[in-house]
Each structure stands twice: as structure tokens, then as C-alpha cells.
Amino acid sequence: MNSLSGSHSRYPAGTSDIRYVKGIGPRRAEIFRRLGIHSLKDLFYLFPRRYEDRSRFHTLASFPLGEPATCRGEILEIKFKPIRRMPILEVLLGDDTGTLRAIFFNQPYLRRTFETGQWVVFHGKLENYEGRLQLPNPEFEIMDRSDENSPHVGRIVPIYPLTEGLFQRSLRMIMKDAIEKHLNETISDYLPPALRNDMGFVPLDRALHDMHFPATLEDQSRARQRLVFDDFFSFTLSLLIRVKTLRTQFQSPAIRPEPGCFEVFKKALPFELTGSQEHAMREIEKDVSAHVPMNRLLQGDVGSGKTVVAAFAFFLTARAGLQSAFLVPTEILAEQHFRTLSRLLTPLNITVELLTKSVAEDDRKRINATLKRGDLSVLVGTHALLQEDVVFHNLAMVTIDEQHKFGVHQRGQLFQRSPRPHQLVMTATPIPRTLGLTLFADLDVSLMREMPKGRKPIATYWISRAKQAEVYRHVAQRLSKGEQAYIVFPVIEESEKADQRAAKKEHSRLQKEVFPEFKVGLVHGKLDRSEREAIMRAFGRREIHVLVATSVIEVGVDQPNATVMIIENADRFGLAQLHQLRGRIGRGSLESECFLFGEPSTEEGKKRLRLLTKLNDGFLIAEEDLKLRGQGDLLGTRQAGVPFFRVANLATDEAMLVTAREKAVDVTNGLDLATLKNPNHWIQKYLEQMPKND
């Protein structure tokens, strides 16, 4: 960024501190810092959350019914009704055409804000309440009659996000003054003109100006397109440079299997591979044959057979005389993977061992000794794999299941060696394509959407509470045939704030009143881990017939004999989470059923449950979840590893993300690492100019 010294700047040489901006000062600077605004550049990237077209005010007589609109007028009358629990403030607005009544519910403090004779702008939806027109809880701004030629009226007006101590009028004036006086000297556009022209983008300074004070909404749209591209392009460029650094500076063992190796593995399997599994295996086979470190994500829906693909990677590695590590977040899941891999690899003369904190000390010493000598090919384990006494002889392949369950430092421990092991990351969490292109932008991706032969779709029903007894009788019939069931609750214990059925209380009722002839177990996140895992093992041995649980069973529970799931208060779970929970059944050849109990209060909640009854594909469900909930609700509060974008929205900007990624790939493919890291090259200047988004 250019320094703000020079004859046209009010700033001390070389600084861009926000407190020097006109209208801010030291006290207001602290308020801006709470919004993450520390410099002029930060200020320019504080974008409006929406715009009001105040160039077209509706008269009060023509204010439309039922759609957002803006009006202005003089306050003629103020009435306050101190109704208990819901005080009401009525503001009567007038202009040359008539009057309009605004109603503010439960906001008694506004009595001190409004005065008769004030000139006010209201924005909201007019409604007809029992034959009376009123504007409920409108957004408002108190104006001066001298504001006709100001940034507040008579134009497209920006509405900014605020915090305590900031107000729309003052922030708008601050922004207008800063843009007029300092935008050109603060912002440089390092995006090459050829690329900018090819994409039809406006220059960066024009885009920033038009995001704040556009002449038309079309200008704002063009500005936004440029800034969305910058969000995605700068993020992807940074990531691709990081990947190029990894692949240039580190080497991995080249695993070159002898001809026919794939056929040997395939022939030894007790089942037929899906097309997705075969394709993923071929991609891995190609990746590991070079000294460039493999960095691949294996993303598959629940039950799609990812462990078999990982087994093939371990098979290739072992045949080359090298070792593999399989890092898994929980003991139950580690035991499950160990059993599967032993069944698949032992007939091929490949040794597999399990290492968790529950392993006896003598066995641990034996495993560590064989590992250090190089006599052990595959070690499956939890965090226990990361202990100092676990020493590999020649580790060449690291597979991590559900890597978000591990810290960055923990994941990195296994890679801090030379040569660097190849990496395979597995996840059973289907995510929207746009989120995948950012979360896993540094990984090559293998998608697995097919299910193994014999797997049947899970029949899913949204059931009214009136039919609960009938559903319980149906479940009891299936239990009497030797099958098992899950009953899932959103909370562990009841609370006054949550109108939800709770696992603890319902477990007792279900055991005594509903399934007295069967064993009903309870598992939830507050149980000690050893106790929780003991219960899960008992369920696996069929000693427990019905497992009452919270979402703790969402990942890593594989019991083919479980054929029925009931989800209570299903409307309290997200769509993707419901699909993950449902994926705990339908893992065998028997018909499986999922019953959803819930009374959603919103149309969105009802649509979520209806969608789950129609869709079994986790990837389609993830896309629908993003459309329904939007980027903010889907991501929640800044998830670890999820990039922050100033303008771009993963729910609506997929096309631009794909384009920006393609352009970034073209740029980095054509340059060597020294050029990409040259501080005087346009790429480094461009990345320095862009706000950080990770």
C-alpha cells in the first residue's frame, strides 16, 4: 500500500492510522477498531450491508402495501402506550399527500429519540392490521431539511453495519470525506490491465467508490463483481503459491507399484468396487508414483466405502517396503477402521496394528518396537500416534480421517520428517461445492458419490407427534427380529429455555414404559470418554438394543445391525447434520427407516424436513442446506479454517469462484516459485494490497 505522506495528505509521514481520518479522532478510533477497522484501507473495505434508493421516495399516500419501500416526512404526533410486556410507541408522519403511522413495539427508549417537527426517513413494509394501515418497526433516520444535496438523501444511500457509538449519518460523512480525499493515494490496482480488461472489470478505486456511493444500483453491481473476484482470486493465488512451495521444496518417496498391483488388490476383496472407488484408487496410484508429495482429499458420503480406498493406499505403500499411519479422532472409530483394514490387508500379508491410550503397556511396547524396526506396515490410532515414543522406520503415507477434529500442529507432527510422507485426507461430511473449493483449495479432490452394491436408500418419514405410539410399536417389532435402533435427542437435559425433549429424562421413560423387554442404553457428550466408548462397544456387541443418544453419534459409528432411527425435535438440527445422523443406519443389507419428529415454526424448517424425506444424496443435501440457510448461518461463527471474504458469498457467487480459481491456476502454472515470491512482482504487490481473508 502506498504511504500517506505528501502534500495532499493530512497524515503524519508513513501512517494510515484510522484516528487521523476527518471525523474520527482517538475516541471514535476505538469504536472503529471493534469493527476491525484500523487503517484507511480497512475503512474503504467496510462495505454497506444494503442500499436504499432514496432518489425515489414514495409519498405517504402512494406508499405500497407489503413490500419494502422508503418515505420521508415530518413528525406530527407521538403517542406512547405503556402496555405491560409490550410497550408501543406510535409516530404519525405527514407530508403534502397525507399521513402514515409507524408503530414501534417494545422499544420505549425511542421516546427520547423522536420529537414533533423532526424530518424523518422511514424504510419498511406497510401492513394492514385489522383494517388499519401501519408501518411496524421501520428502520429510520432523522434528517435535516438542508440534507437535500447530501449523501443522505436524493441518491442511492449506503446503510452500514454499526456498533454502539456509531451512527449512519456520521459514518456516511466520514466515508464520503475519506473517499474523496484519500482513496486514490491509498489504493493501487496491481491487477494486470490485460486481465482486468479481459474480465470487463472496473479499476479497483472505481469499484471501492461505487460500493459506497454508486450513482446507480447497476454501478454497485459492477463494483461488487470486481471485489468478489478479488476476494476469490487473492485467496486462491496465496494458496496455490503455498502448494507450489510445498511441492517444490519437499520430496516424498516415489511409490511405483509393479504391473498388475491394482488387480491383485481388487481380486482379494470380498466385494465388488464401485466406479468411484476405482477412480479414486487410480488417482492415488498416479499421485504416489512421483516424488512430489500427494495432497489429496477423499470426500465421500456416509457409507460410500472410503476405508477401502485408504486400504489400497496402504497396500501400495507396504508393497514398496514403506510404512503408513492412519490418524483417527476417536477410539471407537479407530477400532472400527482397524477391524476393516485387518480384514482387507491381512490376506495380502500386510501387518496392521492398533494404538490407542487403551492399549495395554506390554502391547504398546511390542507395537513400538516392530514399528521402529520397520516390521509393521500400517499403524491405526488416535492421538496416541503422536507420542514421542512412537517412532516410524520409514513413514511414507499418512491418512487422516475427519482432519478438522485435530489441531493444525497435531496434524503437522507426522509430516515433520524427510522425506515428507504423502497425505490422504478423508471426510464423510458432504459440503457444498463452493465451500469445498475454499476449505480444500490446497488439496486435489476425489469425490465418491456411489454407494456399494447392496446398500438400500434409507426410507425417511416426517411424522406427527400423534403417531408416536404407532412408530414405537413398529420399532419394537423390528427389535424383536434382532435388529437395533437409535433414538436421537438435540439436548442432554431439559431446561426452562429450551422446549425440547431431553435424552436423560426420555431414556428413563423409554426403558420403563416403551421398551421394557429390551435393553435401552444412553450415550452423550458429557459422559466420561471411557464410559461412552464402553456403551458404544456394548451396542456393537448387540447387548444394547436401543441406543438413546445426542449428536455424539454423528460421525464414526458403524453398526450394520442398526436399522431404525428416531430423531426427536428434528427441526432443531441442521439439514446436513440430520443427514449425518441418518447415515448411522442403512449400513447393512437390511431395509432401514428414519422417523423425524418435529414441529418447525418456520417455512424454512418445514422445507428442511421435507427435503430430507426426498433426498439421500449428501452432496445434494449440502447444496440445498447452503441455499436455505445462506453462508452466514451455515458457517456460524468463524469456523476454524474457513476463509473470511469481505464481499463474496459462497451461497451465491459460485460462478465467480470457479472463474477466479481458473485464472489463478493459469497465472501460477506459467511462473516459477522464485518469480511468484519476488516482492516486486505484481502478484506479491497485489496480494499485499488485498485485505487478508484467512
Side-chain angles (χ1 to χ4, degrees):
M1 189 171 78
N2 298 341
S3 78
L4 299 179
S5 58
S7 58
H8 297 291
S9 176
R10 303 176 59 248
Y11 296 81
T15 182
S16 62
D17 194 303
I18 195 69
R19 69 180 183 270
Y20 295 110
V21 175
K22 182 181 177 182
I24 296 184
R27 184 177 296 179
R28 250 188 197 152
E30 290 303 315
I31 299 173
F32 275 96
R33 289 187 183 110
R34 290 204 295 269
L35 290 172
I37 310 300
H38 301 275
S39 68
L40 258 178
K41 186 174 73 173
D42 294 337
L43 183 66
F44 295 143
Y45 279 86
L46 174 63
F47 295 124
R49 57 186 171 85
R50 66 176 180 82
Y51 302 84
E52 287 182 8
D53 187 354
R54 294 184 183 172
S55 63
R56 300 187 190 92
F57 284 107
H58 288 271
T59 63
L60 299 185
S62 66
F63 201 90
L65 186 65
E67 60 183 72
T70 307
C71 65
R72 62 181 170 180
E74 182 182 349
I75 295 180
L76 304 178
E77 184 180 65
I78 300 170
K79 288 183 180 179
F80 179 66
K81 299 178 180 179
I83 301 171
R84 191 181 178 189
R85 294 187 181 180
M86 185 63 73
I88 294 175
L89 183 70
E90 293 188 3
V91 177
L92 184 66
L93 197 67
D95 68 5
D96 293 340
T97 67
T99 59
L100 184 66
R101 192 170 300 275
I103 308 291
F104 294 90
F105 299 100
N106 204 26
Q107 300 178 68
Y109 56 88
L110 290 180
R111 281 186 298 169
R112 298 187 298 272
T113 301
F114 295 122
E115 298 175 4
T116 55
Q118 284 177 329
W119 193 39
V120 182
V121 171
F122 282 146
H123 179 86
K125 284 185 182 180
L126 189 66
E127 65 175 28
N128 188 331
Y129 178 71
E130 296 182 348
R132 185 187 186 193
L133 293 178
Q134 61 183 34
L135 193 62
N137 294 323
E139 292 192 32
F140 67 89
E141 193 167 337
I142 298 169
M143 315 296 290
D144 291 328
R145 292 189 183 274
S146 60
D147 279 337
E148 287 294 343
N149 297 313
S150 78
H152 312 297
V153 293
R155 58 171 303 128
I156 306 295
V157 175
I159 308 297
Y160 291 96
L162 300 175
T163 189
E164 186 178 353
L166 279 184
F167 304 94
Q168 288 295 343
R169 286 174 57 82
S170 56
L171 178 52
R172 215 173 281 138
M173 291 301 295
I174 288 168
M175 196 70 76
K176 183 174 183 291
D177 186 76
I179 285 174
E180 287 178 353
K181 292 180 179 177
H182 307 294
L183 180 62
N184 290 338
E185 66 187 29
T186 305
I187 298 296
S188 298
D189 193 349
Y190 292 109
L191 194 66
L195 177 55
R196 193 172 69 223
N197 294 336
D198 179 53
M199 296 295 296
F201 289 143
V202 297
L204 182 57
D205 57 350
R206 183 78 250 167
L208 290 171
H209 176 280
D210 288 351
M211 280 295 288
H212 294 281
F213 299 107
T216 66
L217 291 176
E218 289 75 18
D219 288 343
Q220 186 274 335
S221 179
R222 280 191 291 270
R224 184 182 183 277
Q225 286 295 94
R226 165 64 203 268
L227 294 167
V228 168
F229 177 84
D230 280 338
D231 261 350
F232 289 143
F233 186 63
S234 61
F235 171 75
T236 310
L237 265 181
S238 300
L239 215 51
L240 291 177
I241 292 171
R242 194 186 310 167
V243 170
K244 198 154 190 167
T245 301
L246 170 70
R247 293 179 173 175
T248 303
Q249 294 185 349
F250 296 96
Q251 283 200 331
S252 296
I255 301 171
R256 298 189 177 98
E258 65 272 19
C261 200
F262 177 77
E263 284 67 29
V264 170
F265 179 80
K266 186 176 175 182
K267 188 176 180 181
L269 295 175
F271 49 81
E272 186 179 337
L273 292 173
T274 66
S276 292
Q277 287 173 321
E278 285 204 24
H279 186 68
M281 289 175 183
R282 291 297 192 185
E283 288 178 319
I284 291 169
E285 188 175 29
K286 181 180 178 182
D287 284 352
V288 301
S289 65
H291 285 291
V292 175
M294 178 177 76
N295 211 27
R296 182 165 291 278
L297 169 71
L298 186 61
Q299 187 185 4
D301 208 346
V302 284
S304 59
K306 295 179 293 298
T307 309
V308 181
V309 178
F312 177 67
F314 301 149
F315 169 71
L316 292 178
T317 307
R319 290 284 284 248
L322 302 168
Q323 294 176 307
S324 300
F326 195 177
L327 187 60
V328 182
T330 67
E331 287 199 20
I332 293 173
L333 188 54
E335 289 176 1
Q336 174 186 312
H337 282 316
F338 170 68
R339 288 193 297 270
T340 302
L341 291 172
S342 297
R343 190 170 68 249
L344 297 174
L345 296 177
T346 302
L348 293 165
N349 299 315
I350 294 172
T351 53
V352 184
E353 290 282 6
L354 174 68
L355 187 62
T356 68
K357 76 169 192 175
S358 298
V359 171
E361 185 61 27
D362 287 347
D363 286 333
R364 181 184 179 88
K365 287 179 180 178
R366 175 185 58 80
I367 290 168
N368 283 342
T370 56
L371 188 71
K372 192 172 183 179
R373 289 196 308 267
D375 296 337
L376 173 59
S377 296
V378 182
L379 182 60
V380 182
T382 55
H383 298 77
L385 264 63
L386 307 177
Q387 300 301 311
E388 287 185 7
D389 62 336
V390 179
V391 180
F392 288 85
H393 178 68
N394 51 11
L395 181 62
M397 175 71 64
V398 174
T399 295
I400 305 175
D401 197 5
E402 301 295 345
Q403 69 163 347
H404 60 279
K405 301 289 180 73
F406 299 94
V408 175
H409 176 69
Q410 290 174 323
R411 298 198 304 264
Q413 281 181 254
L414 290 170
F415 296 99
Q416 293 170 359
R417 60 193 74 223
S418 182
R420 184 185 178 91
H422 296 286
Q423 177 181 212
L424 179 66
V425 176
M426 291 169 45
T427 180
T429 308
I431 60 173
R433 171 178 157 84
T434 48
L435 190 53
L437 285 172
T438 53
L439 274 177
F440 304 121
D442 57 339
L443 299 172
D444 297 313
V445 179
S446 294
L447 281 180
M448 295 174 54
R449 302 189 70 153
E450 292 179 73
M451 287 291 153
K453 287 187 177 179
R455 288 281 175 92
K456 297 179 175 66
I458 300 167
T460 304
Y461 309 97
W462 177 18
I463 304 293
S464 73
R465 186 73 63 190
K467 294 187 177 181
Q468 189 173 50
E470 184 182 333
V471 170
Y472 283 154
R473 285 194 296 272
H474 175 73
V475 172
Q477 289 175 357
R478 299 204 67 166
L479 295 175
S480 65
K481 296 177 183 178
E483 299 171 29
Q484 292 167 282
Y486 298 99
I487 302 180
V488 183
F489 294 85
V491 293
I492 299 170
E493 298 175 288
E494 290 181 332
S495 72
E496 294 179 3
K497 295 181 181 178
D499 180 23
Q500 302 175 40
R501 299 197 172 200
K504 273 189 175 181
K505 184 176 180 179
E506 287 297 299
H507 165 254
S508 177
R509 184 183 72 85
L510 289 165
Q511 179 66 88
K512 293 176 182 176
E513 301 175 18
V514 182
F515 302 112
E517 68 273 37
F518 300 103
K519 174 65 176 174
V520 181
L522 172 66
V523 64
H524 54 75
K526 287 188 177 180
L527 288 177
D528 176 79
R529 190 173 73 170
S530 59
E531 184 180 358
R532 188 166 71 236
E533 290 175 348
I535 293 169
M536 294 305 302
R537 290 188 187 101
F539 186 67
R541 294 192 299 267
R542 305 189 188 185
E543 295 167 6
I544 292 174
H545 307 101
V546 179
L547 188 62
V548 174
T550 59
S551 59
V552 71
I553 65 162
E554 184 181 343
V555 174
V557 179
D558 187 8
Q559 172 56 302
N561 193 56
T563 57
V564 184
M565 176 174 284
I566 294 172
I567 303 179
E568 287 280 1
N569 293 109
D571 49 307
R572 303 303 175 101
F573 294 97
L575 187 55
Q577 190 179 29
L578 286 170
H579 176 65
Q580 286 291 309
L581 288 167
R582 180 175 63 177
R584 299 308 102 206
I585 60 174
R587 304 180 77 85
S589 57
L590 296 172
E591 299 277 355
S592 294
E593 299 170 302
C594 179
F595 298 94
L596 308 173
F597 287 110
E599 294 83 31
S601 58
T602 66
E603 191 54 41
E604 179 195 309
K606 294 173 184 175
K607 190 172 183 180
R608 273 209 309 269
L609 298 189
R610 280 195 293 266
L611 277 169
L612 204 70
T613 65
K614 297 174 183 176
L615 298 177
N616 266 281
D617 186 321
F619 293 94
L620 291 178
I621 287 171
E623 295 293 344
E624 291 298 328
D625 204 20
L626 182 59
K627 290 176 189 174
L628 276 175
R629 298 165 66 190
Q631 171 178 305
D633 286 342
L634 185 68
L635 300 182
T637 5
R638 289 296 303 281
Q639 291 183 20
V642 178
F644 164 73
F645 297 118
R646 299 278 179 150
V647 187
N649 188 309
L650 295 172
T652 57
D653 294 319
E654 177 178 352
M656 186 60 81
L657 171 57
V658 172
T659 298
R661 183 175 174 79
E662 289 171 353
K663 296 294 183 185
V665 169
D666 289 344
V667 166
T668 52
N669 280 349
L671 298 172
D672 60 29
L673 189 60
T675 303
L676 290 172
K677 289 200 164 187
N678 182 344
N680 294 317
H681 192 272
W682 73 263
I683 289 178
Q684 288 303 325
K685 290 183 176 181
Y686 173 79
L687 293 176
E688 184 182 347
Q689 175 71 50
M690 291 299 106
K692 298 295 183 288
N693 54 14
D694 58 0

